[in-house]
């Protein structure tokens, strides 16, 4: 089994570059561990990874 760690920015640029401008730099710099490597990802996988990354980065955010 191939396990690969990549930055979210690399995943987004490879599979969904149109979403890149909508993510923060901290989200884009997130390290993502992929169980089967980046080559096994599909577009719907990218959306799930992005949603998880956004929710992780907003956990400690204060909203007014």
């Amino acid at each position: 089994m191939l396990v690969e760690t990549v930055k979210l920015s690399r995943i987004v640029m490879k599979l969904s570059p149109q979403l890149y401008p909508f993510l923060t730099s901290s989200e884009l710099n997130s390290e993502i561990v992929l169980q089967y490597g980046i080559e096994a990802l599909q577009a719907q996988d990218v959306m799930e990874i992005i949603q998880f990354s956004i929710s992780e980065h907003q956990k400690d955010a204060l909203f007014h």
Side-chain angles (χ1 to χ4, degrees):
M1 170 174 50
L2 171 68
V3 175
E4 185 177 8
T5 302
V6 297
K7 290 191 182 235
L8 181 60
S9 60
R10 182 172 166 214
I11 295 170
V12 172
M13 287 305 292
K14 181 173 178 64
L15 294 163
S16 298
Q18 72 278 9
L19 298 176
Y20 194 92
F22 300 104
L23 299 168
T24 66
S25 60
S26 62
E27 291 164 350
L28 290 167
N29 286 318
S30 298
E31 295 284 332
I32 308 296
V33 178
L34 302 171
Q35 187 172 8
Y36 300 106
I38 195 168
E39 298 303 321
L41 287 179
Q42 297 179 5
Q44 64 267 23
D45 299 326
V46 175
M47 288 306 297
E48 287 179 27
I49 293 168
I50 289 172
Q51 289 171 347
F52 180 78
S53 178
I54 290 171
S55 69
E56 282 297 304
H57 283 91
Q58 290 183 353
K59 274 186 180 177
D60 299 324
L62 298 175
F63 297 99
H64 298 271

